[in-house]
Amino acid sequence: MAGTPHGSGRTGWILSIPALILLALGAAGPLLIVVVYAFLEPGEYSGVVWDFTTEAWFRVFFERDIFDDTVTFADAHLTIFWRSVKLSVLTTLIAFAIGFPTAWFIATRPPNKRGFWLFLITIPFWTNLLIRTFAIMEVVRNQGLLNSFLMNLGIIDQPLQILYTDTAVLIGMAYVYLPLMVLPLFAAIDRFDFRLVEAGYDLYATRMKVLRRVILPIVKPGIVAGSILVFVPSLGAYVTPRILGGGKNMMIGNFIELQFGQGRNWPLGAALSLLLLMIVLVALLAYVRVTSRDETHG
């Protein structure tokens, strides 16, 4: 009997070996290849040359003049980084602005009707991302639903140029990732004790003060989780910026694909991929720190 726990533990490790091998080959293996490629030289016609160099990391932020080797900031790269972060942050804010009232509405419905409203929120997940993006294109294009509606009302005389702009990309990403904000917020609000709101009103607090001092601090874990779930995929989005941006308003995901495709600079693409991974890890660590601090104070 005394040897049973030790034997069962050893058996568990043996049984988990196939899963560990699969995890190493499917996750750690490709990531290791990207790490290695980021420190190699680009091949003449794509691929890599197996000579160690940090040139790819240098070219992420800087560029050399082809005539006198003058080093300057890579303005195009920095513009793409800034656009990606800006649109991701704006997407998160828009998703929160729409998702919080939506989640509050669902959480305050009778229990037997909440499933129906959650079903409506999750319907977009049943449709391919590409199809949803083309649906948004039909809404924002020059002869689309939005321009036709505004022109019929007499608000505008000619169509607004929304498609192939940052605005179109922002609208598309907010629509695509909105459910990822609503669901964590609903989970947090559903556990909220609404008697605290009544207590706040009894203490003569205004609606805004109750929202700021009572509701938001308690549902903060849901806000942070929803923000991470929206920000991370928005930062690495590829399909939506590619279609709604028309290839002109690239984000980091499109720029990485360009390096592995037409740019034929695999080391630079690998370095950009790792940089994107680092940004995502920082966001996740911030989430873990906030949630762990809330649990400690709680």
Side-chain angles (χ1 to χ4, degrees):
M1 295 295 292
T4 301
H6 180 71
S8 61
R10 181 182 301 174
T11 303
W13 274 106
I14 294 175
L15 293 176
S16 64
I17 288 177
L20 294 175
I21 294 176
L22 182 62
L23 181 63
L25 295 178
L31 180 59
L32 180 60
I33 294 175
V34 173
V35 172
V36 172
Y37 277 12
F39 293 95
L40 299 178
E41 293 184 359
E44 187 174 357
Y45 300 104
S46 76
V48 295
V49 176
W50 291 86
D51 293 330
F52 177 83
T53 179
T54 57
E55 181 66 19
W57 290 98
F58 176 84
R59 293 193 58 186
V60 169
F61 300 103
F62 303 97
E63 58 185 3
R64 290 188 178 91
D65 189 273
I66 59 175
F67 298 106
D68 56 6
D69 286 337
T70 303
V71 176
T72 57
F73 282 106
D75 294 337
H77 298 184
L78 298 177
T79 299
I80 293 173
F81 294 153
W82 167 244
R83 180 186 295 117
S84 301
V85 174
K86 178 185 69 175
L87 291 179
S88 299
V89 171
L90 290 176
T91 298
T92 304
L93 293 176
I94 293 175
F96 173 74
I98 300 175
F100 186 84
T102 303
W104 184 272
F105 172 81
I106 297 175
T108 54
R109 297 307 93 190
N112 61 337
K113 294 184 178 180
R114 295 175 188 173
F116 170 74
W117 291 105
L118 289 175
F119 167 75
L120 295 180
I121 292 297
T122 57
I123 280 181
F125 283 122
W126 298 10
T127 308
N128 185 274
L129 173 61
L130 185 62
I131 297 176
R132 283 182 281 163
T133 304
F134 276 115
I136 290 295
M137 176 183 286
E138 289 300 314
V139 174
V140 301
R141 66 187 181 92
N142 287 359
Q143 289 77 36
L145 295 177
L146 180 59
N147 277 312
S148 298
F149 177 74
L150 295 177
M151 292 179 68
N152 290 334
L153 292 180
I155 298 177
I156 58 176
D157 298 327
Q158 56 184 2
L160 299 175
Q161 181 58 47
I162 303 176
L163 190 60
Y164 306 140
T165 63
D166 286 349
T167 302
V169 176
L170 181 61
I171 293 173
M173 292 200 303
Y175 164 71
V176 167
Y177 299 120
L178 178 61
L180 298 178
M181 177 67 76
V182 174
L183 296 179
L185 285 174
F186 167 78
I189 297 173
D190 189 49
R191 298 190 299 267
F192 180 75
D193 188 353
F194 288 91
R195 292 176 297 180
L196 297 175
V197 176
E198 298 177 4
Y201 290 149
D202 291 341
L203 296 174
Y204 304 102
T206 62
R207 290 177 178 269
M208 186 59 63
K209 185 170 291 187
V210 168
L211 176 64
R212 190 176 66 253
R213 297 287 185 87
V214 179
I215 299 176
L216 291 182
I218 295 178
V219 301
K220 182 180 178 181
I223 297 174
V224 176
S227 299
I228 293 296
L229 289 175
V230 173
F231 178 79
V232 169
S234 297
L235 191 63
Y238 171 76
V239 174
T240 303
R242 179 67 180 84
I243 295 176
L244 299 180
K248 298 182 297 183
N249 301 320
M250 289 193 298
M251 293 179 63
I252 295 179
N254 308 107
F255 191 47
I256 293 173
E257 186 275 336
L258 180 64
Q259 300 308 315
F260 282 102
Q262 299 177 7
R264 299 178 179 179
N265 193 336
W266 290 15
L268 179 57
L272 292 169
S273 301
L274 292 177
L275 178 62
L276 178 59
L277 178 61
M278 293 175 189
I279 297 175
V280 171
L281 287 177
V282 169
L284 294 177
L285 289 175
Y287 167 69
V288 171
R289 182 176 181 181
V290 170
T291 53
S292 61
R293 184 174 56 195
D294 290 340
E295 292 177 357
T296 301
H297 292 326

